[in-house]
Amino acid sequence: MLNLIWLGLLVVSAVTALLTGNLKQLVNSVPDAAMNAFRLSLGLTGIMALWLGIMRIAEKSGLTEKLSAMIAPLMVRIFPGVPRDHPAIAAMAANMIANMFGLNNAATPLGIKAMKDLETLNPVKGRATHAMCMFLALNTSSLQLVPFGAIALLAAGGSKDPTIIIFPAIIATSFSTISAFCIARTMSKMKRYQD
Amino acid sequence: MSTNELASTISNLILLIFLVGIPVYGALKGVKVYETFVEGAKQGFDIAVNIIPYLVAILVAVGMFRASGAMDILTSLIPSSLRDYGITSDILALALTRPMSGAASLGILGEIVSSHGADSFQARLGAVILGSTETTLYVVAVYFGAVSITKTKYAIHAGLVADTVGVIASVVVCRIIFG
């Protein structure tokens, strides 16, 4: 899928640029985007180290196990391939809590930590497991309950009642999360995705 | 305190519980918190470096797509029947940009707010769309990049369907609530 999307973006961009005469803009965008990717990755280093350090304390103190035991009944249903006492359970739970409250700076490192933990259960390196796909699906469906960024923009634009969008946003995001769960669960049963 | 301030205070408190509560709990359990923190934090750099190639691949492709003008053409193809539901071309541009770039989609919402007004239907719809969807390709690049996975199975399908459902649900809910 990523092969197709990636190649599609490249080819469509090149053809469009040739037809519209945006060739110069296109070519100029490339080094900027590459530099931006580098900057974003390195920018992640500090906050990544912070949360990995905090999570290591949580693991050593036994907090991770306790949290896992509490939420395992629910998590095992969502991620059937992950043992209930596995560290990935706690990392995924921490990521999803951070996501719900819009703590993106904490959610991304915790999510990466969860992927690292899930990777220890992966029999085939380089290929995603069902649990990874489900975790990604839920993450990309937006778990955030209150969209602070959007509210801030409305407020900055002079809205009389910027928080009016919270309720509809919670409803819409519930629909998208439920659909992500259903699609991932259904597709995990398809023959072509079996190991 | 307004609802927004309350919600953001709760979020910050949760962050503080993670950040301070965990070390305090660790110390109570006899963990050498400082050494343990440093030991865990050491992996941070390796992970970030590991992500670079994946993020370069995605961001360059997305940047080219935007710079080529393909996005403008795509949004201009919108059938006029959709406009009757409040789905103007800028809303469509927001929905199409969202899976690819968080910063760009926030920028588009900013444009919508300034051109239609902060209390307009379009601004509210755009805000709800932004709140119910994610930058799917970015999340995929970062999360799978961290564990060097290139065969993503059905993760992207599910993510993109979820984004689509989020947009449709946003339109329906906003039509009902804001008419």
Side-chain angles (χ1 to χ4, degrees):
Chain A
M1 185 67 174
L2 211 44
N3 280 316
L4 201 69
I5 293 179
W6 196 66
L7 191 66
L9 286 172
L10 294 185
V11 173
V12 170
S13 308
V15 172
T16 313
L18 285 173
L19 293 177
T20 57
N22 284 341
L23 203 58
K24 197 159 183 271
Q25 287 95 315
L26 177 85
V27 172
N28 286 342
S29 79
V30 173
D32 288 348
M35 190 61 210
N36 193 24
F38 177 71
R39 244 185 264 123
L40 273 173
S41 305
L42 279 196
L44 206 58
T45 312
I47 197 80
M48 187 79 227
L50 172 71
W51 288 104
L52 285 173
I54 296 286
M55 284 306 279
R56 189 85 192 92
I57 297 175
E59 269 165 33
K60 264 211 168 156
S61 63
L63 189 64
T64 323
E65 276 168 54
K66 272 202 183 144
L67 180 68
S68 301
M70 262 164 57
I71 49 147
L74 175 68
M75 296 295 272
V76 170
R77 281 184 183 210
I78 304 176
F79 305 99
V82 185
R84 55 174 57 220
D85 54 352
H86 196 271
I89 296 277
M92 289 193 289
N95 160 271
M96 291 198 271
I97 293 168
N99 256 323
M100 280 185 206
F101 290 93
L103 307 168
N104 294 329
N105 279 338
T108 305
L110 292 170
I112 291 171
K113 165 86 169 61
M115 291 297 282
K116 286 260 173 204
D117 291 336
L118 288 175
E119 177 67 7
T120 62
L121 298 167
N122 191 357
V124 188
K125 300 298 159 204
R127 196 183 65 185
T129 63
H130 292 310
M132 286 178 182
C133 288
M134 176 59 85
F135 182 59
L136 250 292
L138 294 179
N139 253 286
T140 57
S141 78
S142 168
L143 297 162
Q144 188 173 3
L145 293 175
V146 181
F148 295 107
I151 292 170
L153 263 181
L154 290 184
S159 168
K160 288 193 291 284
D161 190 3
T163 49
I164 198 165
I165 63 143
I166 291 180
F167 177 63
I170 288 176
I171 305 215
T173 206
S174 307
F175 273 105
S176 73
T177 302
I178 291 167
S179 73
F181 176 81
C182 294
I183 302 277
R185 180 48 62 83
T186 310
M187 291 190 84
S188 73
K189 303 217 163 91
M190 285 167 66
K191 233 183 184 157
R192 56 182 297 199
Y193 295 121
Q194 300 313 309
D195 296 329
Chain B
M1 201 188 284
S2 75
T3 328
N4 194 28
E5 280 167 31
L6 183 70
S8 116
T9 307
I10 292 173
S11 286
N12 288 330
L13 280 177
I14 304 254
L15 185 78
L16 218 59
I17 289 171
F18 275 144
L19 201 60
V20 182
I22 292 174
V24 168
Y25 181 87
L28 291 175
K29 289 281 167 182
V31 175
K32 291 192 171 122
V33 285
Y34 182 74
E35 287 159 37
T36 310
F37 176 89
V38 172
E39 177 198 316
K42 269 181 191 155
Q43 307 158 324
F45 185 72
D46 290 340
I47 293 176
V49 170
N50 211 18
I51 295 169
I52 294 174
Y54 299 86
L55 215 49
V56 168
I58 295 292
L59 292 194
V60 167
V62 167
M64 282 172 67
F65 192 71
R66 288 176 54 79
S68 71
M71 183 63 83
D72 302 333
I73 294 176
L74 207 58
T75 51
S76 70
L77 296 175
I78 173 182
S80 57
S81 55
L82 278 178
R83 285 198 191 109
D84 301 339
Y85 297 98
I87 308 171
T88 44
S89 60
D90 40 13
I91 289 287
L92 194 69
L94 175 71
L96 291 173
T97 308
R98 179 60 169 159
M100 301 197 271
S101 167
S105 50
L106 263 177
I108 295 176
L109 181 60
E111 283 164 28
I112 293 173
V113 168
S114 56
S115 61
H116 296 272
D119 288 317
S120 63
F121 177 80
Q122 274 84 5
R124 285 174 177 173
L125 174 59
V128 172
I129 288 175
L130 210 63
S132 59
T133 50
E134 247 309 335
T135 45
T136 299
L137 291 183
Y138 172 81
V139 174
V140 165
V142 169
Y143 281 24
F144 278 140
V147 288
S148 304
I149 277 178
T150 48
K151 295 193 171 63
T152 57
K153 275 189 183 163
Y154 48 88
I156 301 173
H157 306 65
L160 292 179
V161 170
D163 286 335
T164 313
V165 170
V167 171
I168 296 170
S170 300
V171 173
V172 173
V173 172
C174 284
R175 292 286 302 174
I176 292 170
I177 296 181
F178 306 127

